[in-house]
Amino acid sequence: MSEFWIYFQIGLKHVLDIHAYDHVLFLIALAVPFSFSDWKRVVLLVTLFTIGHTMALMLSVFGIVAIKVNVVELLIPITILITALFNLFTAGKSGKKESINLVFFITLFFGIIHGLGFSNYFKSILGGTASSKILPLSEFALGIEAAQIVVVFVVLVLSYIVQTIFRFSKRDWTLVMSAFIIGVVIPMIIASEIWHR
């Protein structure tokens, strides 16, 4: 049980690390257009992201996929930018429900990209054969899922407060938060090591 908590906590800390806030930024961008009434859809999106993240780690642990760190470190903020831009262009539009399957697929794909960003570190903390890494990987994934649900819950609570107490419309809240995320993520893209070679 103690080993479970070790990998579970690594998963929690991976998402909630204040110095590596890209994961939280992506979750905010993902959850900001939704409200509590959409909680099932939001949890499904978060779970798809976790599945993608875990798939990437498995592919990396088993040596099936290897990608340059600087490429992944550029792709991660690009996924956040795309998600925030999608929110800007779809905020307040009723056709959003029709595009939900596309959103599910893209979230899964973005989970894979984010997972690749953590794969080198994860491989370094795991010893033993590839098959012995499956259980720790599952425990790590549960930690990630729990942390992501916490982040999304906080976003939904803030959304509720802003829309009921401060009388923001859902559209304005989505636009303001998405614009904020874009403002944070563009410098991350510009600062990427890939441009400085």
Side-chain angles (χ1 to χ4, degrees):
M1 194 67 176
S2 61
E3 195 171 289
F4 169 82
W5 281 112
I6 290 168
Y7 290 107
F8 185 83
Q9 284 181 326
I10 292 170
L12 282 176
K13 287 173 184 172
H14 171 59
V15 175
L16 302 175
D17 182 3
I18 196 78
H19 302 295
Y21 51 86
D22 54 346
H23 206 128
V24 172
L25 270 181
F26 180 79
L27 291 168
I28 295 169
L30 194 67
V32 88
F34 298 101
S35 56
F36 272 114
S37 60
D38 307 309
W39 71 269
K40 286 181 184 173
R41 191 177 298 167
V42 180
V43 169
L44 181 57
L45 282 169
V46 165
T47 303
L48 281 169
F49 185 78
T50 305
I51 290 167
H53 198 281
T54 308
M55 279 169 53
L57 289 177
M58 284 185 85
L59 292 170
S60 176
V61 162
F62 286 95
I64 298 166
V65 170
I67 191 164
K68 288 183 178 178
V69 174
N70 59 351
V71 173
V72 178
E73 286 178 357
L74 173 65
L75 290 175
I76 288 171
I78 288 173
T79 64
I80 302 165
L81 179 66
I82 291 168
T83 307
L85 286 170
F86 178 79
N87 292 344
L88 281 184
F89 290 109
T90 58
K93 292 184 181 170
S94 58
K96 193 157 187 186
K97 286 179 184 173
E98 294 154 24
S99 64
I100 199 72
N101 289 335
L102 177 67
V103 173
F104 286 163
F105 175 76
I106 290 170
T107 302
L108 179 70
F109 179 68
F110 285 179
I112 292 169
I113 292 171
H114 282 246
L116 288 171
F118 193 67
S119 60
N120 285 338
Y121 171 75
F122 194 76
K123 279 195 291 188
S124 72
I125 62 169
L126 280 180
T129 62
S131 58
S132 69
K133 296 175 183 179
I134 293 173
L135 186 62
L137 218 151
S138 306
E139 294 159 350
F140 175 75
L142 286 172
I144 284 181
E145 181 76 355
Q148 288 183 159
I149 287 171
V150 167
V151 171
V152 164
F153 179 75
V154 169
V155 172
L156 293 177
V157 167
L158 281 173
S159 177
Y160 178 79
I161 290 167
V162 166
Q163 290 176 51
T164 53
I165 296 171
F166 298 105
R167 300 288 181 198
F168 263 64
S169 71
K170 190 176 183 179
R171 179 182 172 275
D172 289 348
W173 166 248
T174 304
L175 290 174
V176 167
M177 287 305 294
S178 298
F180 167 76
I181 291 164
I182 290 166
V184 172
V185 89
I186 285 176
M188 289 168 72
I189 294 169
I190 294 167
S192 173
E193 284 181 25
I194 211 161
W195 312 120
H196 307 292
R197 292 199 170 208

